[in-house]
C-alpha cells in the first residue's frame, strides 16, 4: 500500500449489520457481533498504516428508537469489546475517546468506557473515537450553548472557538468518510467536521468490510484532487 497518502483522520459509518445477518437467516444481533470483529481488524490496520485519528459511528442518538433488546445487545457487545481490547489498545498505543454524552448510557458501559479511556489516556500513536449516543446537530447546538455560557458573542465566535467546543476538539477534520452497505447519506454524522471531507461509499455490508476494503478506500482518496475551493492551476 502506498503510504504517502494516508489520511490523518478517517471516519466510518459502520452500516449493514442487520442486512448481513438477514441474508444469512441469522438474527440481527449476530450481524452486530460479526461487526465488532470487523471493527477490531479495521482499528488495527488503521494503526499499522499510520492513520492518526479514526472515528467509528457506533451508536447514534436516533438508534435509541430501535427495539429495546437490540439496544441492549449493542451495549453488551460494546462492553465485551472494550474489556477484551483494553490491553491490545494500550499495546498498540491507541487512545480511546468518546464523541457523545456518556452520562446517558447504562452504568456498566459508562464504567468500562471511563476505565479504558483512563488506561489509554497517555497513548499517542492513534486516537480511536467512538461516536456513541452521537448526533451531529446535537453536537452543534451543544457547542453554541457552551459559547453562550462563556459569554462569547459576535466576532469572538469563530470557526476555531466553535470547533473547540465540539466533541472532536483538538483533532483534525476527517479527510475521508466511509459508509458501508450502499446507503448514500450522512445520518447526522460529523456535520460540522465534514465540510471538506471526501466520501467513499461501498455496497459491502460492514461485517464483510475488511482491511483490504479499507485500503481500497484510502487508495481511491489518493486519486482524488482536493481543491478546497481553488482552481486546478492554483494547485499545480
Ligand atoms: C449498523 O448496522 C449498526 C448500527 C447502526 C448500530 P445496522 O444495524 O444499521 O444494519 P442495517 O442497516 O439494518 O442493515
Ligand atoms: C447510522 O446507521 C448509525 C451507525 C452506524 C451507528 P443507521 O443504520 O442508524 O442509519 P439510518 O437510520 O439508516 O440512516
Ligand atoms: Mg443501518
Amino acid at each position: 500500500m502506498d503510504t504517502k497518502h494516508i489520511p490523518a483522520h478517517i471516519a466510518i459509518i459502520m452500516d449493514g449489520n442487520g442486512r448481513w445477518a438477514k441474508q444469512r437467516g441469522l438474527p440481527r444481533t449476530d450481524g452486530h457481533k460479526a461487526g465488532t470483529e470487523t471493527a477490531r481488524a479495521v482499528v488495527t490496520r488503521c494503526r499499522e498504516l499510520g492513520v492518526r485519528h479514526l472515528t467509528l459511528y457506533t451508536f447514534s442518538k436516533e438508534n435509541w428508537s430501535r427495539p429495546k433488546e437490540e439496544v441492549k445487545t449493542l451495549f453488551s457487545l460494546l462492553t465485551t469489546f472494550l474489556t477484551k481490547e483494553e490491553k491490545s489498545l494500550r499495546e498498540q498505543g491507541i487512545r480511546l475517546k468518546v464523541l457523545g454524552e456518556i452520562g446517558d448510557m447504562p452504568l456498566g458501559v459508562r464504567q468500562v468506557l471511563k476505565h479504558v479511556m483512563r488506561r489509554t489516556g497517555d497513548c499517542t500513536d492513534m486516537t480511536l473515537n467512538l461516536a456513541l449516543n452521537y448526533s451531529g446537530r446535537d453536537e452543534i447546538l451543544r457547542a453554541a450553548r457552551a459559547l453562550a455560557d462563556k459569554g462569547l458573542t459576535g466576532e469572538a465566535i469563530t470557526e476555531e472557538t466553535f470547533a473547540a467546543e465540539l466533541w472532536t476538539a483538538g483533532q483534525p477534520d476527517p479527510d475521508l468518510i466511509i459508509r458501508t452497505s450502499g446507503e448514500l447519506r450522512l445520518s447526522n454524522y460529523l456535520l460540522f467536521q465534514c465540510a471538506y471531507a471526501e466520501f467513499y461509499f461501498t455496497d459491502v455490508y460492514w461485517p464483510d468490510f475488511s482491511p483490504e476494503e479499507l485500503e481500497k478506500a484510502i487508495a481511491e482518496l489518493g486519486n482524488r484532487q482536493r481543491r478546497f475551493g481553488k482552481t486546478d492551476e492554483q494547485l499545480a
Side-chain angles (χ1 to χ4, degrees):
M1 158 118 239
D2 162 22
T3 49
K4 268 207 318 282
H5 300 288
I6 298 298
H9 187 170
I10 298 179
I12 307 183
I13 303 175
M14 312 185 287
D15 199 11
N17 293 350
R19 278 163 287 165
W20 180 91
K22 193 170 175 194
Q23 216 176 40
R24 286 163 178 73
L26 300 168
R28 292 178 61 82
T29 47
D30 282 18
H32 295 315
K33 194 153 183 238
T36 45
E37 296 306 320
T38 306
R40 184 194 330 275
V42 165
V43 167
T44 297
R45 184 57 60 93
C46 279
R47 158 72 181 71
E48 287 166 356
L49 290 171
V51 173
R52 298 302 307 265
H53 306 262
L54 171 66
T55 303
L56 300 179
Y57 206 172
T58 308
F59 190 84
S60 71
K61 253 199 170 4
E62 291 77 16
N63 288 145
W64 287 109
S65 62
R66 292 194 177 197
K68 235 171 144 179
E69 274 310 307
E70 180 168 345
V71 171
K72 221 171 121 184
T73 305
L74 284 168
F75 282 117
S76 143
L77 285 168
L78 176 66
T79 310
T80 310
F81 176 82
L82 290 171
T83 310
K84 278 218 301 239
E85 293 306 302
E86 178 200 324
K87 188 158 167 265
S88 160
L89 289 174
R90 271 192 68 80
E91 282 167 2
Q92 296 179 84
I94 301 173
R95 174 174 72 122
L96 181 78
K97 221 182 134 18
V98 171
L99 312 184
E101 203 66 69
I102 71 169
D104 298 342
M105 279 177 260
L107 180 65
V109 185
R110 237 151 59 205
Q111 281 171 334
V112 73
L113 282 169
K114 282 189 185 154
H115 174 74
V116 179
M117 282 194 285
R118 200 166 48 236
R119 294 279 297 153
T120 60
D122 59 347
C123 293
T124 55
D125 288 345
M126 183 173 98
T127 299
L128 170 62
N129 298 305
L130 298 184
L132 264 175
N133 185 24
Y134 178 84
S135 147
R137 282 194 171 174
D138 195 72
E139 179 185 37
I140 289 170
L141 292 175
R142 198 175 156 273
R145 285 188 208 112
L147 292 179
D149 287 349
K150 288 182 176 168
L152 265 71
T153 55
E155 303 290 300
I157 301 174
T158 63
E159 285 195 20
E160 286 71 31
T161 55
F162 200 90
E165 301 298 338
L166 299 172
W167 294 111
T168 47
Q171 299 192 55
D173 286 342
D175 305 288
L176 174 63
I177 305 283
I178 298 172
R179 183 168 192 151
T180 58
S181 89
E183 305 298 348
L184 307 179
R185 55 177 171 268
L186 265 181
S187 301
N188 210 1
Y189 195 39
L190 302 172
L191 298 181
F192 187 90
Q193 298 90 334
C194 271
Y196 268 103
E198 293 290 329
F199 290 85
Y200 180 89
F201 296 103
T202 169
D203 287 338
V204 172
Y205 293 144
W206 178 248
D208 287 333
F209 192 82
S210 59
E212 290 68 41
E213 298 284 340
L214 171 80
E215 291 189 10
K216 244 169 41 189
I218 296 175
E220 178 167 327
L221 183 68
N223 294 329
R224 296 194 195 169
Q225 192 188 33
R226 300 181 74 191
R227 284 197 281 274
F228 301 100
K230 298 193 170 69
T231 67
D232 273 356
E233 290 73 24
Q234 284 175 298
L235 294 162

